[in-house]
Amino acid sequence: MTEDIAVEQAAAEEPKRHRLHFPTAITVLFIVMLFAAALTYIVPAGKYSKLTYDADQDSFVITKPDDSTELMPPTQQTLDSLGVSGSLDSFLDGSISKPIAIPGTYERVDQAPQGIVEFLLAPIQGVYDTIDIILFVFLLGGCIGVLNYMGALNSAVAALSRLTKGREYLLIIILSLLMVIGGTTFGLGEETIALYPILMPVFIAAGYDAMTCIAVIFVGASVGTMYSTVNPFAIGVATKAAGIAMSEQMSWRFIALIVGAVMAVAYIMVYAHKVRLDPSKSVCYDMKGKIEERWGQQGNSIEFTTQMKVSLAVFGLSFVVLVWGIVAQQWWFDYMTAVFLACSIILAFTSGLEEEVFFDKYIGGCGDLMSVALVVGVARAVNILLENGFISDSILNFFSGAVTGMSPILFIIVMLLVYVILGFFINSSSGLAVLSVPIMAPLGDAVGVSRASIIAAYNYGQGLISYVTPTGLILASLAMVDVPFSRWIKFINPLLVATIVLNALLLVAQVLVG
């Protein structure tokens, strides 16, 4: 009888050994890199002439497709003659600092296919280009490693769980809305990576799954960014590039934000409630034990000591300073990383750990986030291959030609789809705005669609693709909590479809109302 049971168990386990599984984040990115490299052999290479303002020379500099340059006086007349819609002040005050594409200047250039050597160099260059983000991730991981060793996070989670007992749903509502506000005001994005180690134990203790935590943080911030109202990195840059006031059709942006946020938060709450009642409904239920082993409370809750409270207060204050710096001082990752370097130094004293133990746990915490750092660097490699292959401008030129001469309604729907595709290849809100809006905005003029509607299509399209594009932030977010991309796709698909329909309806209504 025992032998029969053993044979049955072996037979049951056999298919699992050979079961196909979805590739990891790094593998997915290398597959996308191969696709990008292949496109450089297929898509005709081309460039637009680019316009920049050189403050040292007090002159506009035009870089032509053949890399020759021409200087022109920094006047509004120059911009008008070039067909560039941005205002002169936007260039002079540095609001538009990246090279801006000049409409009607696209030219074919010699093909620059990205071969094996270029393919191998791309992720290395990608790490170089994103070292500011990577260093931020490492220092954050070091702080978390120390706090975890102290037991500070577990003790704090236990205390928070007692406070929210019976009202756990408030975690979802409050935190989601905070993420939405961050996204719509200052483009909260990469900074959210810092939140997973803090909030994962909270959600697990509250009876939710890892996907609930990911959704609250990532979807919340993405919805805010997709329906940006005053976000300077999206709406600010785009309106300046289009030559319109940031206040134009602001009411529509607030309406879209409210509707989009309500729909997204409702979706997350329905899913979370279902999982809390029946954990088997989780899209990552089979990973429950592994996730709780890493993020759940380990054994009995230990005493929440004064050293723990002081250390957590230092860590929490770092986030307050971080948000202030981003919103009020327009900080980038150099200053943000400096905040956590200061936090690390203070923790060395407040933790009460011996110097050798402190650095051992600190370096271990840095190492825990190595996969996240690699995802960030390799994701940048995709854009490097496209840029070095001179096909980003070709893709933009193709789509700009495809939408000319359409009816206003069809035009704005196609424009949404165009920006979904462009958002995959150019995964930067400000970069996409500077490159595409000067080309697309005049096309809207020709068919009777306002430039504000073009900017809405740009925002909605890039927001939609950010939910699933491997070149965006989602893979880094999933890597933080060790959840496969396939589980995310299963979770996000219904919300993605609903958001596509909502965005299309919002754009049509905006065009009809004018």
Side-chain angles (χ1 to χ4, degrees):
M1 179 68 70
T2 303
E3 291 180 357
D4 292 340
I5 293 175
V7 169
E8 290 176 3
Q9 289 177 338
E13 293 176 359
E14 185 64 25
K16 295 182 180 179
R17 291 196 194 103
H18 301 286
R19 185 174 59 188
L20 294 175
H21 69 279
F22 198 86
T24 60
I26 295 292
T27 303
V28 169
L29 285 172
F30 270 95
I31 292 172
V32 177
M33 281 177 58
L34 284 171
F35 173 66
L39 285 179
T40 65
Y41 286 85
I42 301 170
V43 176
K47 292 182 182 180
Y48 282 97
S49 293
K50 302 295 190 343
L51 178 72
T52 56
Y53 171 68
D54 188 330
D56 294 333
Q57 300 184 72
D58 188 28
S59 177
F60 280 133
V61 180
I62 299 176
T63 303
K64 299 181 179 180
D66 61 3
D67 292 328
S68 63
T69 59
E70 178 184 351
L71 300 181
M72 297 189 73
T75 64
Q76 188 63 50
Q77 184 179 2
T78 297
L79 294 178
D80 295 340
S81 67
L82 295 174
V84 174
S85 50
S87 68
L88 178 62
D89 289 341
S90 298
F91 288 91
L92 299 183
D93 65 13
S95 299
I96 298 178
S97 58
K98 297 181 179 180
I100 193 166
I102 301 175
T105 60
Y106 176 82
E107 293 181 15
R108 289 282 302 275
V109 298
D110 292 338
Q111 208 72 16
Q114 302 295 286
I116 295 176
V117 174
E118 291 81 6
F119 181 87
L120 295 175
L121 288 174
I124 298 172
Q125 185 62 50
V127 171
Y128 289 160
D129 289 355
T130 56
I131 192 62
D132 48 359
I133 301 176
I134 291 172
L135 191 57
F136 172 79
V137 168
F138 280 149
L139 266 65
L140 170 67
C143 293
I144 293 166
V146 171
L147 292 172
N148 273 333
Y149 178 75
M150 293 174 63
L153 291 176
N154 277 342
S155 297
V157 167
L160 184 60
S161 298
R162 289 192 293 270
L163 289 174
T164 58
K165 192 72 173 177
R167 301 187 302 275
E168 290 82 0
Y169 64 91
L170 291 176
L171 288 171
I172 297 173
I173 297 175
I174 294 172
L175 292 173
S176 293
L177 292 180
L178 287 175
M179 295 300 106
V180 170
I181 292 170
T184 196
T185 54
F186 63 89
L188 182 67
E190 289 88 349
E191 303 87 351
T192 59
I193 290 175
L195 300 176
Y196 290 99
I198 301 171
L199 295 180
M200 272 294 292
V202 175
F203 279 93
I204 297 300
Y208 299 117
D209 66 346
M211 193 58 72
T212 303
C213 181
I214 296 170
V216 166
I217 297 173
F218 181 80
V219 173
S222 297
V223 165
T225 303
M226 187 183 334
Y227 304 109
S228 291
T229 51
V230 295
N231 175 5
F233 307 109
I235 290 297
V237 173
T239 52
K240 288 180 185 298
I244 63 174
M246 193 170 178
S247 59
E248 189 167 328
Q249 293 198 356
M250 178 74 78
S251 58
W252 271 107
R253 295 205 289 271
F254 274 106
I255 291 171
L257 175 67
I258 293 170
V259 175
V262 168
M263 185 177 74
V265 174
Y267 178 79
I268 296 170
M269 288 189 67
V270 169
Y271 170 83
H273 181 67
K274 183 171 61 176
V275 168
R276 196 161 184 270
L277 291 178
D278 183 0
S280 67
K281 301 296 184 181
S282 167
V283 295
C284 44
Y285 176 68
D286 59 324
M287 306 174 65
K288 188 173 186 292
K290 177 184 176 182
I291 290 170
E292 290 184 352
E293 180 180 356
R294 179 179 178 187
W295 298 108
Q297 290 177 258
Q298 304 299 317
N300 297 325
S301 178
I302 60 178
E303 181 186 357
F304 198 16
T305 66
T306 301
Q307 284 182 326
M308 293 178 182
K309 293 176 182 177
V310 172
S311 296
L312 279 175
V314 170
F315 192 55
L317 182 60
S318 299
F319 283 91
V320 174
V321 174
L322 190 75
V323 172
W324 170 81
I326 293 170
V327 176
Q329 303 297 317
Q330 305 297 308
W331 280 357
W332 190 237
F333 277 95
D334 49 356
Y335 281 91
M336 291 162 57
T337 305
V339 170
F340 279 97
L341 176 58
C343 176
S344 305
I345 295 171
I346 298 173
L347 284 179
F349 294 96
T350 62
S351 65
L353 301 177
E354 294 182 2
E355 184 263 350
E356 185 177 351
V357 175
F358 175 84
F359 278 106
D360 179 60
K361 302 307 173 184
Y362 189 88
I363 298 301
C366 295
D368 288 341
L369 298 191
M370 175 62 78
S371 61
V372 180
L374 289 176
V375 166
V376 171
V378 177
R380 170 64 183 139
V382 177
N383 300 106
I384 290 173
L385 289 170
L386 295 174
E387 291 167 4
N388 292 346
F390 305 139
I391 64 172
S392 296
D393 284 8
S394 297
I395 295 170
L396 174 61
N397 181 66
F398 169 79
F399 284 117
S400 65
V403 297
T404 54
M406 293 181 176
S407 66
I409 300 300
L410 180 59
F411 174 87
I412 202 65
I413 295 298
V414 173
M415 188 64 71
L416 173 65
L417 298 177
V418 166
Y419 271 112
V420 167
I421 298 171
L422 290 177
F424 175 85
F425 292 106
I426 308 169
N427 196 251
S428 163
S429 57
S430 58
L432 181 57
V434 168
L435 181 63
S436 66
V437 170
I439 305 298
M440 297 302 188
L443 298 180
D445 296 341
V447 296
V449 173
S450 70
R451 296 192 174 195
S453 297
I454 300 295
I455 291 171
Y458 139 80
N459 229 19
Y460 299 169
Q462 66 155 356
L464 283 168
I465 197 62
S466 72
Y467 276 155
V468 294
T469 178
T471 59
L473 189 61
I474 183 57
L475 288 188
S477 300
L478 295 172
M480 284 292 295
V481 293
D482 293 328
V483 170
F485 188 49
S486 57
R487 308 306 172 87
W488 169 255
I489 293 297
K490 183 176 181 181
F491 167 80
I492 201 63
N493 266 340
L495 180 60
L496 180 62
V497 172
T499 307
I500 291 172
V501 174
L502 172 63
N503 288 357
L505 291 175
L506 287 170
L507 286 171
V508 170
Q510 190 169 348
V511 169
L512 291 176
V513 173

PDB file of all heavy atoms in Angstrom, residues 461-480:
ATOM      1  N   GLY A 461      -2.683  57.253 -23.307  1.00  0.00           N
ATOM      2  CA  GLY A 461      -2.020  56.165 -24.020  1.00  0.00           C
ATOM      3  C   GLY A 461      -0.794  55.654 -23.302  1.00  0.00           C
ATOM      4  O   GLY A 461      -0.625  54.439 -23.117  1.00  0.00           O
ATOM      5  N   GLN A 462       0.081  56.562 -22.884  1.00  0.00           N
ATOM      6  CA  GLN A 462       1.276  56.120 -22.178  1.00  0.00           C
ATOM      7  C   GLN A 462       0.918  55.526 -20.825  1.00  0.00           C
ATOM      8  O   GLN A 462       1.592  54.626 -20.327  1.00  0.00           O
ATOM      9  CB  GLN A 462       2.259  57.274 -22.006  1.00  0.00           C
ATOM     10  CG  GLN A 462       1.771  58.386 -21.093  1.00  0.00           C
ATOM     11  CD  GLN A 462       2.914  59.165 -20.471  1.00  0.00           C
ATOM     12  OE1 GLN A 462       4.068  58.838 -20.666  1.00  0.00           O
ATOM     13  NE2 GLN A 462       2.562  60.197 -19.729  1.00  0.00           N
ATOM     14  N   GLY A 463      -0.171  56.019 -20.214  1.00  0.00           N
ATOM     15  CA  GLY A 463      -0.613  55.457 -18.934  1.00  0.00           C
ATOM     16  C   GLY A 463      -1.102  54.025 -19.087  1.00  0.00           C
ATOM     17  O   GLY A 463      -0.826  53.162 -18.239  1.00  0.00           O
ATOM     18  N   LEU A 464      -1.842  53.771 -20.157  1.00  0.00           N
ATOM     19  CA  LEU A 464      -2.342  52.414 -20.406  1.00  0.00           C
ATOM     20  C   LEU A 464      -1.203  51.416 -20.580  1.00  0.00           C
ATOM     21  O   LEU A 464      -1.187  50.345 -19.971  1.00  0.00           O
ATOM     22  CB  LEU A 464      -3.232  52.413 -21.651  1.00  0.00           C
ATOM     23  CG  LEU A 464      -4.645  52.975 -21.497  1.00  0.00           C
ATOM     24  CD1 LEU A 464      -5.290  53.180 -22.857  1.00  0.00           C
ATOM     25  CD2 LEU A 464      -5.490  52.034 -20.635  1.00  0.00           C
ATOM     26  N   ILE A 465      -0.237  51.759 -21.409  1.00  0.00           N
ATOM     27  CA  ILE A 465       0.841  50.813 -21.685  1.00  0.00           C
ATOM     28  C   ILE A 465       1.746  50.630 -20.473  1.00  0.00           C
ATOM     29  O   ILE A 465       2.402  49.589 -20.321  1.00  0.00           O
ATOM     30  CB  ILE A 465       1.656  51.253 -22.926  1.00  0.00           C
ATOM     31  CG1 ILE A 465       2.507  50.097 -23.473  1.00  0.00           C
ATOM     32  CG2 ILE A 465       2.523  52.453 -22.613  1.00  0.00           C
ATOM     33  CD1 ILE A 465       1.709  48.912 -23.951  1.00  0.00           C
ATOM     34  N   SER A 466       1.759  51.615 -19.570  1.00  0.00           N
ATOM     35  CA  SER A 466       2.611  51.487 -18.382  1.00  0.00           C
ATOM     36  C   SER A 466       2.147  50.350 -17.486  1.00  0.00           C
ATOM     37  O   SER A 466       2.929  49.829 -16.683  1.00  0.00           O
ATOM     38  CB  SER A 466       2.614  52.797 -17.580  1.00  0.00           C
ATOM     39  OG  SER A 466       1.376  53.012 -16.925  1.00  0.00           O
ATOM     40  N   TYR A 467       0.879  49.944 -17.610  1.00  0.00           N
ATOM     41  CA  TYR A 467       0.377  48.818 -16.816  1.00  0.00           C
ATOM     42  C   TYR A 467       1.099  47.512 -17.141  1.00  0.00           C
ATOM     43  O   TYR A 467       1.237  46.649 -16.278  1.00  0.00           O
ATOM     44  CB  TYR A 467      -1.112  48.614 -17.084  1.00  0.00           C
ATOM     45  CG  TYR A 467      -2.036  49.489 -16.259  1.00  0.00           C
ATOM     46  CD1 TYR A 467      -3.313  49.796 -16.724  1.00  0.00           C
ATOM     47  CD2 TYR A 467      -1.663  49.995 -15.016  1.00  0.00           C
ATOM     48  CE1 TYR A 467      -4.185  50.586 -15.984  1.00  0.00           C
ATOM     49  CE2 TYR A 467      -2.525  50.779 -14.271  1.00  0.00           C
ATOM     50  CZ  TYR A 467      -3.783  51.077 -14.754  1.00  0.00           C
ATOM     51  OH  TYR A 467      -4.645  51.851 -14.014  1.00  0.00           O
ATOM     52  N   VAL A 468       1.537  47.365 -18.397  1.00  0.00           N
ATOM     53  CA  VAL A 468       2.032  46.056 -18.816  1.00  0.00           C
ATOM     54  C   VAL A 468       3.383  46.065 -19.515  1.00  0.00           C
ATOM     55  O   VAL A 468       3.951  44.994 -19.757  1.00  0.00           O
ATOM     56  CB  VAL A 468       1.014  45.364 -19.758  1.00  0.00           C
ATOM     57  CG1 VAL A 468      -0.277  45.038 -19.015  1.00  0.00           C
ATOM     58  CG2 VAL A 468       0.701  46.227 -20.976  1.00  0.00           C
ATOM     59  N   THR A 469       3.914  47.231 -19.867  1.00  0.00           N
ATOM     60  CA  THR A 469       5.148  47.220 -20.657  1.00  0.00           C
ATOM     61  C   THR A 469       6.344  46.753 -19.825  1.00  0.00           C
ATOM     62  O   THR A 469       6.586  47.272 -18.727  1.00  0.00           O
ATOM     63  CB  THR A 469       5.433  48.602 -21.265  1.00  0.00           C
ATOM     64  OG1 THR A 469       6.663  48.551 -21.978  1.00  0.00           O
ATOM     65  CG2 THR A 469       5.535  49.685 -20.194  1.00  0.00           C
ATOM     66  N   PRO A 470       7.107  45.794 -20.337  1.00  0.00           N
ATOM     67  CA  PRO A 470       8.291  45.326 -19.604  1.00  0.00           C
ATOM     68  C   PRO A 470       9.365  46.394 -19.461  1.00  0.00           C
ATOM     69  O   PRO A 470      10.222  46.304 -18.585  1.00  0.00           O
ATOM     70  CB  PRO A 470       8.804  44.164 -20.479  1.00  0.00           C
ATOM     71  CG  PRO A 470       7.631  43.747 -21.297  1.00  0.00           C
ATOM     72  CD  PRO A 470       6.865  45.002 -21.545  1.00  0.00           C
ATOM     73  N   THR A 471       9.327  47.420 -20.325  1.00  0.00           N
ATOM     74  CA  THR A 471      10.345  48.466 -20.251  1.00  0.00           C
ATOM     75  C   THR A 471      10.011  49.529 -19.210  1.00  0.00           C
ATOM     76  O   THR A 471      10.781  50.464 -19.001  1.00  0.00           O
ATOM     77  CB  THR A 471      10.511  49.149 -21.626  1.00  0.00           C
ATOM     78  OG1 THR A 471       9.254  49.708 -22.028  1.00  0.00           O
ATOM     79  CG2 THR A 471      10.970  48.158 -22.665  1.00  0.00           C
ATOM     80  N   GLY A 472       8.868  49.393 -18.555  1.00  0.00           N
ATOM     81  CA  GLY A 472       8.458  50.366 -17.552  1.00  0.00           C
ATOM     82  C   GLY A 472       8.825  49.934 -16.146  1.00  0.00           C
ATOM     83  O   GLY A 472       9.771  49.172 -15.922  1.00  0.00           O
ATOM     84  N   LEU A 473       8.021  50.378 -15.187  1.00  0.00           N
ATOM     85  CA  LEU A 473       8.324  50.165 -13.770  1.00  0.00           C
ATOM     86  C   LEU A 473       7.744  48.873 -13.224  1.00  0.00           C
ATOM     87  O   LEU A 473       8.143  48.425 -12.147  1.00  0.00           O
ATOM     88  CB  LEU A 473       7.781  51.357 -12.956  1.00  0.00           C
ATOM     89  CG  LEU A 473       8.155  51.449 -11.479  1.00  0.00           C
ATOM     90  CD1 LEU A 473       9.663  51.563 -11.296  1.00  0.00           C
ATOM     91  CD2 LEU A 473       7.438  52.627 -10.835  1.00  0.00           C
ATOM     92  N   ILE A 474       6.828  48.254 -13.953  1.00  0.00           N
ATOM     93  CA  ILE A 474       6.106  47.115 -13.374  1.00  0.00           C
ATOM     94  C   ILE A 474       7.021  45.936 -13.044  1.00  0.00           C
ATOM     95  O   ILE A 474       6.871  45.296 -12.005  1.00  0.00           O
ATOM     96  CB  ILE A 474       4.940  46.668 -14.309  1.00  0.00           C
ATOM     97  CG1 ILE A 474       4.151  45.534 -13.655  1.00  0.00           C
ATOM     98  CG2 ILE A 474       5.457  46.257 -15.672  1.00  0.00           C
ATOM     99  CD1 ILE A 474       3.591  45.862 -12.302  1.00  0.00           C
ATOM    100  N   LEU A 475       7.993  45.620 -13.904  1.00  0.00           N
ATOM    101  CA  LEU A 475       8.870  44.487 -13.620  1.00  0.00           C
ATOM    102  C   LEU A 475       9.726  44.738 -12.375  1.00  0.00           C
ATOM    103  O   LEU A 475       9.961  43.825 -11.582  1.00  0.00           O
ATOM    104  CB  LEU A 475       9.759  44.168 -14.819  1.00  0.00           C
ATOM    105  CG  LEU A 475       9.073  43.523 -16.022  1.00  0.00           C
ATOM    106  CD1 LEU A 475      10.098  43.095 -17.055  1.00  0.00           C
ATOM    107  CD2 LEU A 475       8.245  42.317 -15.603  1.00  0.00           C
ATOM    108  N   ALA A 476      10.192  45.967 -12.204  1.00  0.00           N
ATOM    109  CA  ALA A 476      10.960  46.292 -10.997  1.00  0.00           C
ATOM    110  C   ALA A 476      10.087  46.161  -9.752  1.00  0.00           C
ATOM    111  O   ALA A 476      10.537  45.689  -8.703  1.00  0.00           O
ATOM    112  CB  ALA A 476      11.535  47.698 -11.097  1.00  0.00           C
ATOM    113  N   SER A 477       8.830  46.567  -9.865  1.00  0.00           N
ATOM    114  CA  SER A 477       7.903  46.459  -8.743  1.00  0.00           C
ATOM    115  C   SER A 477       7.645  44.997  -8.393  1.00  0.00           C
ATOM    116  O   SER A 477       7.649  44.623  -7.216  1.00  0.00           O
ATOM    117  CB  SER A 477       6.580  47.164  -9.084  1.00  0.00           C
ATOM    118  OG  SER A 477       6.793  48.526  -9.363  1.00  0.00           O
ATOM    119  N   LEU A 478       7.416  44.177  -9.398  1.00  0.00           N
ATOM    120  CA  LEU A 478       7.176  42.752  -9.166  1.00  0.00           C
ATOM    121  C   LEU A 478       8.413  42.074  -8.592  1.00  0.00           C
ATOM    122  O   LEU A 478       8.308  41.179  -7.744  1.00  0.00           O
ATOM    123  CB  LEU A 478       6.748  42.075 -10.469  1.00  0.00           C
ATOM    124  CG  LEU A 478       5.411  42.529 -11.059  1.00  0.00           C
ATOM    125  CD1 LEU A 478       5.211  41.919 -12.438  1.00  0.00           C
ATOM    126  CD2 LEU A 478       4.257  42.146 -10.142  1.00  0.00           C
ATOM    127  N   ALA A 479       9.588  42.502  -9.059  1.00  0.00           N
ATOM    128  CA  ALA A 479      10.832  41.917  -8.547  1.00  0.00           C
ATOM    129  C   ALA A 479      11.026  42.216  -7.062  1.00  0.00           C
ATOM    130  O   ALA A 479      11.638  41.426  -6.336  1.00  0.00           O
ATOM    131  CB  ALA A 479      12.023  42.443  -9.347  1.00  0.00           C
ATOM    132  N   MET A 480      10.500  43.337  -6.608  1.00  0.00           N
ATOM    133  CA  MET A 480      10.620  43.692  -5.195  1.00  0.00           C
ATOM    134  C   MET A 480       9.947  42.658  -4.304  1.00  0.00           C
ATOM    135  O   MET A 480      10.388  42.399  -3.177  1.00  0.00           O
ATOM    136  CB  MET A 480       9.990  45.061  -4.935  1.00  0.00           C
ATOM    137  CG  MET A 480      10.814  46.235  -5.397  1.00  0.00           C
ATOM    138  SD  MET A 480      12.343  46.462  -4.462  1.00  0.00           S
ATOM    139  CE  MET A 480      11.737  46.863  -2.839  1.00  0.00           C
TER     140      MET A 480
END
